[in-house]
Amino acid sequence: MKVLVPVKRVVDFNVKVRVKADGSGVDTANIKMSMNPFDEIAVEEALRLREAGSATEIIAVSLGVQQCQETIRTALAMGADRGIHVLTDAPLEPLAVAKMLAALVAREDPQLVILGKQAIDDDSNQTGQMLAALLGWAQGTFASKLSLADGTATVTREIDGGLETLRLKMPAVITTDLRLNEPRYASLPNIMKAKRKTIDQVTPEDLGVDPAPRLTTLKVAEPSGRQAGIIVADVAELVDKLRNEAKVIS
């Protein structure tokens, strides 16, 4: 079984982001970039499926600027077999990404697509669901446990009321949650091997997709600073302030 794993290049989670002075977006100049942490979990899960004998080939896919090849190399160093880079300088929105991934699915014919439930830069949480809709495939989102057997995927997912278990008929789209696994570190030998692995490059035009944005960003601003707290003398004063100043109780 072939598994497709999209991986996104984002600002490293350890970096404090800065908003551009003109409010047009986040400053990414000279900033450390890395693979989206949820996508790392997706790569790890695909590797575990291969080690269990459920998968035979893992293809890492990234969409965006030339530097996205570094993110693909990271996935290859973790153990993915080959990579595909969709080269474009256009800002990408979830729908465009889903359309390009759907085109790649048509080319590669995988039985499973595993990707992070969201990216830590835009937090859209849309791409996996849109991709499943475009393909007409079953979907299991926010997966905290995954197992494959007899052409079905059993997914345990976290919901407001606890845990929900779904049995999906393959092919399927799975989006990963934090508790699914702990991603491995790439060893030095695997990092060296990754340099020799194949990365095919295509463009949105090759896939028949127009990546032009459909949304307009009006303004990007940092959240307002937290105001200093106050000390109250007793419970009565606290209740009074909550009722008359904050107006959060009646």
Side-chain angles (χ1 to χ4, degrees), residues 172-223:
V173 176
I174 307 295
T175 70
T176 61
D177 207 346
L178 285 173
R179 278 162 284 279
L180 181 58
N181 61 52
E182 182 70 27
R184 69 193 66 187
Y185 290 101
S187 65
L188 182 58
N190 286 340
I191 292 173
M192 301 305 294
K193 291 177 183 177
K195 295 180 179 180
R196 299 191 295 272
K197 291 183 179 180
T198 302
I199 298 180
D200 298 323
Q201 192 172 86
V202 297
T203 65
E205 291 73 24
D206 296 333
L207 301 176
V209 177
D210 179 9
R214 295 168 178 248
L215 305 176
T216 301
T217 301
L218 301 180
K219 183 180 180 181
V220 177
E222 293 187 8

Side-chain angles (χ1 to χ4, degrees), residues 98-249:
K99 287 181 177 179
M100 286 185 273
L101 291 176
L104 289 173
V105 167
R107 287 189 175 196
E108 297 291 336
D109 193 30
Q111 287 295 105
L112 186 65
V113 178
I114 307 179
L115 66 160
K117 69 172 184 178
Q118 65 196 77
I120 63 171
D121 53 359
D122 57 18
D123 274 335
S124 291
N125 182 21
Q126 296 173 346
T127 303
Q129 293 88 328
M130 288 179 171
L131 176 60
L134 290 171
L135 295 173
W137 286 10
Q139 61 175 303
T141 56
F142 318 132
S144 59
K145 186 177 180 181
L146 171 65
S147 61
L148 305 181
D150 302 324
T152 63
T154 302
V155 178
T156 301
R157 59 192 300 268
E158 299 185 359
I159 58 175
D160 291 341
L163 298 176
E164 178 182 56
T165 301
L166 303 176
R167 183 167 293 162
L168 310 176
K169 189 174 182 180
M170 304 283 280
V173 176
I174 307 295
T175 70
T176 61
D177 207 346
L178 285 173
R179 278 162 284 279
L180 181 58
N181 61 52
E182 182 70 27
R184 69 193 66 187
Y185 290 101
S187 65
L188 182 58
N190 286 340
I191 292 173
M192 301 305 294
K193 291 177 183 177
K195 295 180 179 180
R196 299 191 295 272
K197 291 183 179 180
T198 302
I199 298 180
D200 298 323
Q201 192 172 86
V202 297
T203 65
E205 291 73 24
D206 296 333
L207 301 176
V209 177
D210 179 9
R214 295 168 178 248
L215 305 176
T216 301
T217 301
L218 301 180
K219 183 180 180 181
V220 177
E222 293 187 8
S224 57
R226 184 175 180 179
Q227 296 181 349
I230 61 172
I231 298 176
V232 295
D234 51 33
V235 173
E237 183 182 354
L238 172 62
V239 172
D240 178 69
K241 289 184 178 295
L242 291 175
R243 177 180 292 120
N244 300 313
E245 293 185 18
K247 299 185 185 302
V248 295
I249 62 175

Side-chain angles (χ1 to χ4, degrees), residues 4-73:
L4 195 72
V5 185
V7 292
K8 186 176 183 181
R9 179 177 182 262
V10 299
V11 176
D12 189 86
F13 71 94
N14 286 311
V15 174
K16 179 176 173 57
V17 297
R18 300 188 303 270
V19 175
K20 293 180 180 178
D22 60 1
S24 62
V26 172
D27 186 6
T28 57
N30 301 315
I31 294 294
K32 181 183 178 183
M33 309 292 282
S34 61
M35 186 190 299
N36 178 47
F38 289 100
D39 295 338
E40 282 188 291
I41 294 170
V43 174
E44 174 65 27
E45 193 64 21
L47 296 174
R48 294 186 183 192
L49 290 175
R50 187 180 63 191
E51 290 166 356
S54 299
T56 55
E57 185 180 22
I58 300 169
I59 307 168
V61 180
S62 193
L63 304 88
V65 296
Q66 185 66 35
Q67 291 87 339
C68 287
Q69 290 207 9
E70 300 169 7
T71 307
I72 297 175
R73 292 290 178 196

